[in-house]
Amino acid sequence: MQATQTTEKPLTHVKSQKDLQKEVDASGAWSVAQIEALFALPFSDLIFRAQETHRANFPDGDVELATLLSIKTGGCPEDCGYCPQAARYDTDVKANKLMDLDEVLEAAKAAKAAGSNRFCMGAAWREPKDRDIEKVTAMIKGVKALGLETCATLGMLEAGQAQALQEAGLDFYNHNLDTSEDFYRSVISTRGYQDRLDTISNVRAAGMSVCCGGIVGMGESREQRAAFLARLANLSPYPESVPINHLVPVAGTPLEDQKPLDPLEFVRTIAVARITMPHARVRLSAGRQELGRAVQAMCFQAGANSIFYGEQLLTTGNPEAEQDRELLAELGLKTKQSCKAEVLV
């Protein structure tokens, strides 16, 4: 993976999207300074730039609906400071075994009936064992047979495990970078940053598409948010799906008292993600409920075009499906009808 920190001078004035693209093409990568310059633009200029990029690359303007099911909840040995599923933290989340195949397929059928295009399966593991992979591949095959896109997030993957998931028909694998490399150790100590990059590399090598993003509002600086987005944007290729989570502080976790990020800064983050990864689906993920309708509307204007849809994410609440439908209708936004995966490779 190529480094993203550079010594280039900040880009203080960008007259057009074309001018900015020339700057990026000249170096072959986004520098942190360039991304900081985007963050520093007047809010209306940044949103305009993001909307231009969005319309150029997604002329249909549709929003992808994805449903996330926790197929194995709690009991994780990791120490991610934001996560109530960590066994070491005293939260209300109880450890459960892997769900049965029939339960997963019933949930997938319900998701499809509610309009979802993609069905994501998440398991609270540091990394799956081979026997776990065998069970998950049966789930993938069953969900694919229903005509849905499939995604899984199971922790770190070895190359052979990634290949097994791909052969079962998995379209996307989610493994988030979470934050910038220099802020990472402030949040997680049980898994290294390179471990995450290695898993993403294994997923790409197996021929699957990548779903990779992170969480903002964990106490990081704007420069660190810029470095996080630079790392994502400079992956080759960058992820097809980029979930941007707004921290939901959970009682019992180390980040339970973290001060909320300014909502406009979150909207800026969405806009910068759209500009730097123009072909990706930028997804509003955890924390939408706390943001409220008005901020969500600004996020769609800034280029978000995918949401997790339904009542529950892994362990935190999510706006109910009917409320999402109402908001999208009021904004005049269409939903993606195809369940065919959009790929960049």
Side-chain angles (χ1 to χ4, degrees):
M1 297 294 173
Q2 60 183 341
T4 60
Q5 299 279 357
T6 78
T7 57
E8 295 180 44
K9 294 181 180 179
L11 189 62
T12 55
H13 296 289
V14 180
K15 294 183 179 180
S16 69
Q17 178 68 21
K18 185 180 293 187
D19 291 337
L20 181 57
Q21 193 61 48
K22 287 179 181 177
E23 292 285 341
V24 178
D25 291 344
S27 65
W30 284 94
S31 71
V32 176
Q34 287 168 326
I35 294 181
E36 281 191 282
L38 287 175
F39 268 104
L41 287 172
F43 187 78
S44 59
D45 291 351
L46 176 60
I47 299 304
F48 181 74
R49 185 79 43 77
Q51 184 62 209
E52 278 190 317
T53 304
H54 183 58
R55 286 172 182 257
N57 292 281
F58 291 92
D60 291 338
D62 59 355
V63 176
E64 178 190 66
L65 303 180
T67 294
L68 175 60
L69 176 70
S70 180
I71 59 175
K72 192 277 176 190
T73 304
C76 182
E78 304 271 34
D79 69 348
C80 305
Y82 52 79
C83 186
Q85 300 202 68
R88 66 190 68 206
Y89 303 142
D90 185 15
T91 67
D92 291 334
V93 175
K94 305 301 180 184
N96 294 312
K97 295 180 179 179
L98 185 67
M99 292 176 66
D100 292 332
L101 175 60
D102 289 344
E103 292 180 279
V104 174
L105 295 183
E106 284 303 311
K109 290 175 185 177
K112 184 177 181 180
S116 286
N117 310 109
R118 185 186 302 178
F119 190 72
C120 307
M121 295 164 277
W125 291 316
R126 172 178 167 79
E127 69 272 305
K129 297 180 174 61
D130 287 343
R131 65 173 183 269
D132 300 320
I133 293 290
E134 292 178 9
K135 294 177 181 178
V136 174
T137 55
M139 296 175 185
I140 293 166
K141 292 175 182 178
V143 174
K144 287 284 286 186
L146 297 174
L148 287 165
E149 277 182 28
T150 53
C151 181
T153 179
L154 315 171
M156 295 183 291
L157 287 184
E158 298 293 336
Q161 294 176 323
Q163 190 62 44
L165 294 175
Q166 188 275 334
E167 290 173 359
L170 188 66
D171 296 301
F172 287 82
Y173 192 79
N174 167 260
H175 200 65
N176 290 336
L177 293 183
D178 281 352
T179 188
S180 66
E181 188 167 6
D182 66 333
F183 187 70
Y184 184 83
R185 284 298 179 190
S186 301
V187 182
I188 302 164
S189 69
T190 52
R191 183 188 312 188
Y193 208 75
Q194 188 60 47
D195 292 328
R196 294 182 179 270
L197 294 170
D198 289 345
T199 289
I200 294 168
S201 179
N202 288 337
V203 169
R204 279 292 186 210
M208 287 182 286
S209 293
V210 170
C211 176
C212 183
I215 306 172
V216 298
M218 295 191 292
E220 76 283 352
S221 66
R222 176 180 279 186
E223 181 181 6
Q224 288 165 329
R225 278 191 292 281
F228 156 64
L229 291 176
R231 176 69 82 166
L232 286 176
N234 290 333
L235 292 174
S236 183
Y238 54 75
E240 286 88 349
S241 181
V242 181
I244 303 294
N245 298 273
H246 187 284
L247 176 69
V248 180
V250 177
T253 64
L255 292 177
E256 64 178 328
D257 296 321
Q258 180 60 46
K259 182 180 177 181
L261 184 69
D262 185 308
L264 294 183
E265 185 71 7
F266 184 80
V267 178
R268 284 181 179 274
T269 305
I270 296 293
V272 173
R274 167 52 61 218
I275 294 167
T276 56
M277 292 169 278
H279 300 290
R281 287 277 176 178
V282 177
R283 177 178 299 138
L284 294 182
S285 300
R288 280 201 301 126
Q289 194 168 34
E290 288 73 16
L291 291 172
R293 288 162 51 86
V295 176
Q296 288 185 67
M298 284 192 285
C299 288
F300 289 124
Q301 188 176 16
N305 61 347
S306 179
I307 59 173
F308 273 129
Y309 176 71
E311 297 182 8
Q312 188 80 11
L313 293 183
L314 291 176
T315 56
T316 58
N318 200 41
E320 294 185 4
E322 188 59 35
Q323 294 176 5
D324 284 334
R325 286 283 188 182
E326 290 176 0
L327 178 59
L328 293 175
E330 288 181 27
L331 297 176
L333 295 172
K334 300 178 295 183
T335 57
K336 180 186 175 187
Q337 297 302 306
S338 172
C339 289
K340 183 179 180 181
E342 298 158 336
V343 298
L344 297 179
V345 291

